[in-house]
Each structure stands twice: as structure tokens, then as C-alpha cells.
Amino acid sequence: MPWRALRRFGQKLLRRRSLEPGMAGTRLARCLNTLDLMALGVGSTLGAGVYVLAGEVAKDKAGPSIVICFLVAALSSVLAGLCYAEFGARVPRSGSAYLYSYVTVGELWAFTTGWNLILSYVIGTASVARAWSSAFDNLIGNHISQALQGSISLNVPHVLAKYPDFFALGLVLLLTALLALGASESAMVTKVFTAVNLLVLAFVIISGFIKGDLHNWRLTEEDYKLAVATANHTYSLLGSMFPMPRVIYAMAEDGLLFRVLAQIHSDTHTPIVATVVSGVIAALMAFLFELTDLVDLMSMGTLLAYSLVSICVLILRYQPDPVMQSEEDEVELQEERPPEAEKLTLQGLFCPVNSVPSPLSGQVIYVCSSLLALLVSALCLVLTQWSVPLLSGDPVWIAVVGVLLTLITGITGVIWRQPQSSTPLHFKVPALPLLPLLSIFVNIYLMMQMTAGTWARFGVWMLIGFTIYFCYGIRHSLEEVKRDQAPLKPRAETIGLDLSRSCTPSI
């Protein structure tokens, strides 16, 4: 009896949604055109990382090698972007990587992905607001920070900021109100800031060619203040805040978060409760925490989401086609005979009999992908924490790295030999499984570079999320409701995804 209960509990954590064809209606307003989406995308890209953090990292840590830092970040983004593109072709629905994980690796990992996306969006919004406030304060001679440090000091070092940032708090709340008015209104404001942002970028580039000095790669204080126009940070704020409530809405509509967060305003057709709640949380983050702590925490959530998406691409490409699988299940039910069980052999791992994915090959991919993620994590941990003995030629650590690389190569070979799905898509990630594997390695390696304090804050955030899931989400999940309402239906129907209630495409 305890074993059966444990098995049911495990099935709840791993229950997945099946992909069903067909477009569907939505309760959200579809009012964004191609230009609006491009403006929001650029706004999410150009923000505090370009205008503020690049200078701080170059000054305090990287120096001229900041160029290499940008190249590494670009590599991580490009690889993750390729994986996102394939998932976008498979699941053109609201929820982004959250929904992608739901249809591949199961409900628990989907919640983990969505919760980390919320983290990256919330912290991203707070960090840009903090950078906006800092840039404005620099322009007026640091009068705001000096006044607040002298009158209201938090005095909690390494945890909270030196002083509460009322300017950042008010800015986030103001833009939250703008987003609550409707998507079209906020998109119009975004396009205005797009033009300002591009003009500032053009000014910086032209100034660099005219006044640039190869012997001194730093801007003067006046040039820096001029380049960091406050309009750019406002623009980046809108780009970060726009997708945040929509991920919360998607999770709440699925029952993994509180359903009150899925309420839609009758006039503006925006997720009003999710917008207000996420905006208030982001405002409090900007109010209380330092910029560097916010950015590190945001990076953790983003890199983990990137890694999970890469793993999902690796898994889903080798799974049986859901339409063909459902047809086979119907034939077996009509003929009332059990399916022939496949046998797993060592030869079958490298020389599969079937030319199309089967349930057995799909399970092999699940196991191999999990092992691959663990081995890559171990390899990145060794490379980051024990780099000194490795570079000095310590035979023990060299042997450890050699064993890990051998196991990773062998498991990658097993995945490569499995049959891939022939489902036609508008885009597929090339060079599978190498590109997703490289994406996982780069993202996890960057995560291992984070400080212990960042990992501790990230652990607190995940603890809060898992408390919500195991106390509320696992019992109110839409998949759980379907199972309770139709316990006798075939499996292909009980875990099907009702795309008719989905939302706007993710951006």
C-alpha cells in the first residue's frame, strides 16, 4: 500500500501534457503586431546589462576582456534561442519555457521552469529600476543616495541595500499601472522609447569612432552619464515587465499557482491580478536590494530556464509522435490485446531496430538526458571549483575529468543513435544532440561561477516555490482535476492538452 501511494505521487510529479494540433481562442487581447513584438524583444535585450553592468564589470573584474564576456553571454543566448525557436514551433502558446517543459519532462519540472522564469522577470524588472534610479541619481550629483543614506539606512550588510530606493519603487509601480491599462497602450509607449534608444546607441557608436582611444577603452564620467539616458532604462523596464504577468497567468490557469492570479480584466483583457502582484513584488525587490545582488539572482533563474529548455528539446525530438501513438492506442483498445513489450539490450542502445521513435526509445532518452545533466553538472563543478589543481596537472583531478568526459561522450552517443521524430516543424535545432548539450554545459558552467550568497538566495526562492506547489499546486492542477473527473477515460484523453483555453503566443 505505501509503495502504491508513493508510485501515484511520483506519477503526479511527472504527469505531462500531450500536444494537440489546432489553433485556439484566448481570453487575452491579441493586439500586438510584428513591430510591437520586435520592440519588446529589443527592450528586453538592451537594458541595465548594456548601459550599466558592462561598465561595472569592465572596471571591477574583466577589464578589456569584457569583450570575451559578451561573447560567452552571446553564445549562451544563441544556443538557448535555437532551442526556444524549436519549442516555439511546436507549442505556439503563452507560457514560454514553462509550457514547453510541461509537455516534455513533467509537471514538477514545468513548475520549476515557470517559477524560475518568474524569478528572472521579477528580478530583471527590479534590477533595471535600480539601475534607472542610480543613473538618474548620478546625473543630479548623487543627492538622492546621500540624503537617504543619511536619514534611512537599512544596516543589514550582504543582505539588503544600504538604503531603500523610493525612486525605483515608484517607477516600477507607475509602469505596472501602465501595463494594467492594456497591451496596446504599453506597446505604444515602448515604440516611442525604441526610437530614443536607437538614437542613443547610434550616438554612442559614432562617438566611439570619433573620440575613441585604443590606449584607453574607458569613457569619461561625463560621457558615461550622457550615454546612460534614462529613457533607455524605462524602455528596458517595459520589455522586462510585459511577459512577467503572462507566465504567472499561464501557471495560475493551469492550477499550479493560485487561480485568482488568472483573472482577466473585462475591458482591457489583460491579466490584471498577475500584473499588479508581480509589479508590487518587483517594486519591493528594487526598493530593498542592491543592483549586483539582483542581477546575480536574475542570472541564476535565466540560466536554469535555458538549461531546462535545452534538455526538453533533447527529450522531445526523440519521443514518439503523439498523433501516431494515440492511433496505435485506439487500435490496441479495439482489438483488446496487449501490446508487444519491447526488450532493452546493449546492442539496441547503439543499433536500434526501429527507424521511428518508440515508447522504449523515448524512455531511454529520458534516462540518458537525466544522466547527462548530472554528469555535466559534476564536470562544471570540478572545472570551476578545482581549476587550480587541474591547471597544475594534478593526476587525480585530471582522471576525474577524463572519466566524466568519457561517460558524457558515451551517453551522447547513445542519444545520437536513437531514432528521431519525423514530425514536420517550421524550425528544428540542427546538430542534435551536440548543440543542446553545448547549451547545457555553458549555462551550468556559468551558474557554477555564482557566489555562495547568490546560491543561498536562489535556494530561498525555490523553497518558497516548492512550498506553494506541494501545498497547493499538486492538488489543484488542471491535470489532477481532469483525472478526478474522468478516471475511466483512456490515457491519451486524460492527459491531453486543452489548447482551446490557451493564451497569446509567448514573446
Side-chain angles (χ1 to χ4, degrees), residues 8-9 11-12 15 474-475 477-489 493-495:
R8 285 199 300 266
F9 180 74
Q11 289 175 343
K12 289 183 178 181
R15 55 193 173 197
I474 195 171
R475 294 183 291 107
S477 168
L478 197 63
E479 299 300 312
E480 178 73 10
V481 174
K482 289 180 181 179
R483 187 185 67 84
D484 293 339
Q485 291 179 349
L488 300 178
K489 287 187 177 182
E493 295 179 16
T494 57
I495 66 170

Side-chain angles (χ1 to χ4, degrees), residues 435-453:
L435 284 187
L437 176 61
L438 180 60
S439 176
I440 296 169
F441 172 78
V442 172
N443 295 327
I444 295 180
Y445 184 82
L446 293 176
M447 291 175 65
M448 294 298 177
Q449 304 281 347
M450 299 295 176
T451 63

Side-chain angles (χ1 to χ4, degrees), residues 222-244:
E222 290 75 17
D223 292 335
Y224 173 77
K225 291 179 179 179
L226 183 60
V228 185
T230 56
N232 299 320
H233 295 308
T234 307
Y235 173 51
S236 180
L237 263 176
L238 287 172
S240 300
M241 295 178 68
F242 191 87
M244 176 171 57

Side-chain angles (χ1 to χ4, degrees), residues 54-92:
E56 292 187 0
V57 173
K59 176 185 175 183
D60 300 331
K61 298 180 180 179
S65 63
I66 186 67
V67 177
I68 300 177
C69 297
F70 269 106
L71 290 176
V72 174
L75 175 63
S76 173
S77 300
V78 166
L79 294 174
L82 292 173
C83 297
Y84 266 91
E86 176 168 331
F87 263 134
R90 289 183 182 272
V91 196

Side-chain angles (χ1 to χ4, degrees), residues 16 20 42 45 187 249 275 334 348 386 392 504:
R16 302 188 300 273
E20 293 182 359
V42 176
T45 304
Y249 164 80
T275 300
Q334 292 175 359
W386 290 278
S392 63
T504 55

Side-chain angles (χ1 to χ4, degrees), residues 250-266:
M251 296 180 67
E253 197 176 37
D254 289 336
L256 301 186
L257 292 179
F258 306 110
R259 290 195 182 275
V260 66
L261 297 172
Q263 290 185 6
I264 300 295
H265 195 278
S266 58

Side-chain angles (χ1 to χ4, degrees), residues 466-507:
F466 286 141
T467 301
I468 294 174
Y469 175 72
F470 287 108
C471 293
Y472 177 86
I474 195 171
R475 294 183 291 107
H476 295 83
S477 168
L478 197 63
E479 299 300 312
E480 178 73 10
V481 174
K482 289 180 181 179
R483 187 185 67 84
D484 293 339
Q485 291 179 349
L488 300 178
K489 287 187 177 182
R491 180 179 183 274
E493 295 179 16
T494 57
I495 66 170
L497 170 59
D498 182 12
L499 295 181
S500 62
R501 55 170 198 84
S502 298
C503 327
T504 55
S506 59
I507 59 173

Side-chain angles (χ1 to χ4, degrees), residues 58-362:
K59 176 185 175 183
D60 300 331
K61 298 180 180 179
S65 63
I66 186 67
V67 177
I68 300 177
C69 297
F70 269 106
L71 290 176
V72 174
L75 175 63
S76 173
S77 300
V78 166
L79 294 174
L82 292 173
C83 297
Y84 266 91
E86 176 168 331
F87 263 134
R90 289 183 182 272
V91 196
R93 297 293 181 272
S94 178
S96 186
Y98 155 71
L99 186 57
Y100 305 158
S101 303
Y102 213 157
V103 301
T104 53
V105 293
E107 187 171 282
L108 178 62
W109 283 109
F111 180 87
T112 303
T113 304
W115 192 245
N116 278 280
L117 284 174
I118 296 173
L119 172 67
S120 62
Y121 288 137
V122 168
I123 302 300
T125 299
S127 62
V128 175
R130 195 85 190 193
W132 202 108
S133 175
S134 176
F136 181 78
D137 190 32
N138 287 333
L139 287 175
I140 62 175
N142 298 317
H143 293 302
I144 297 178
S145 58
Q146 292 173 3
L148 290 176
Q149 287 187 47
S151 57
I152 309 176
S153 181
L154 296 179
N155 291 323
V156 187
H158 307 296
V159 178
L160 299 178
K162 296 179 181 179
Y163 61 91
D165 198 331
F166 290 95
F167 191 91
L169 174 71
L171 180 63
V172 176
L173 293 179
L174 178 63
L175 294 182
T176 299
L178 175 62
L179 286 176
L181 292 177
S184 58
E185 288 78 6
S186 57
M188 180 180 63
V189 175
T190 300
K191 284 186 287 188
V192 173
F193 286 122
T194 303
V196 177
N197 199 13
L198 294 178
L199 289 175
V200 171
L201 285 176
F203 170 78
V204 172
I205 294 172
I206 295 173
S207 300
F209 279 111
I210 297 175
K211 302 181 68 66
D213 187 355
L214 294 178
H215 300 286
N216 184 10
W217 284 16
R218 293 178 297 176
L219 293 173
T220 65
E221 184 177 356
E222 290 75 17
D223 292 335
Y224 173 77
K225 291 179 179 179
L226 183 60
V228 185
T230 56
N232 299 320
H233 295 308
T234 307
Y235 173 51
S236 180
L237 263 176
L238 287 172
S240 300
M241 295 178 68
F242 191 87
M244 176 171 57
R246 280 147 182 82
V247 175
I248 298 176
Y249 164 80
M251 296 180 67
E253 197 176 37
D254 289 336
L256 301 186
L257 292 179
F258 306 110
R259 290 195 182 275
V260 66
L261 297 172
Q263 290 185 6
I264 300 295
H265 195 278
S266 58
D267 296 329
T268 61
H269 299 286
T270 57
I272 184 66
V273 178
T275 300
V276 172
V277 170
S278 59
V280 170
I281 295 175
L284 292 176
M285 292 284 190
F287 182 68
L288 296 173
F289 294 98
E290 290 283 5
L291 175 61
T292 53
D293 296 334
L294 292 172
V295 170
D296 288 343
L297 194 56
M298 175 188 65
S299 299
M300 286 287 291
T302 302
L303 291 171
L304 181 57
Y306 283 0
S307 301
L308 290 174
V309 168
S310 300
I311 294 174
C312 290
V313 165
L314 200 59
I315 292 175
L316 192 57
R317 181 74 73 85
Y318 294 93
Q319 297 304 307
D321 183 77
V323 177
M324 295 180 60
Q325 187 66 29
S326 61
E327 291 177 353
E328 292 176 1
D329 293 342
E330 290 178 2
V331 171
E332 291 166 1
L333 288 172
Q334 292 175 359
E335 295 180 359
E336 296 183 353
R337 61 178 177 83
E340 296 182 2
E342 295 181 273
K343 294 182 179 180
L344 179 63
T345 61
L346 182 61
Q347 181 181 1
L349 289 177
F350 294 94
C351 300
V353 178
N354 297 325
S355 59
V356 295
S358 64
L360 178 61
S361 67

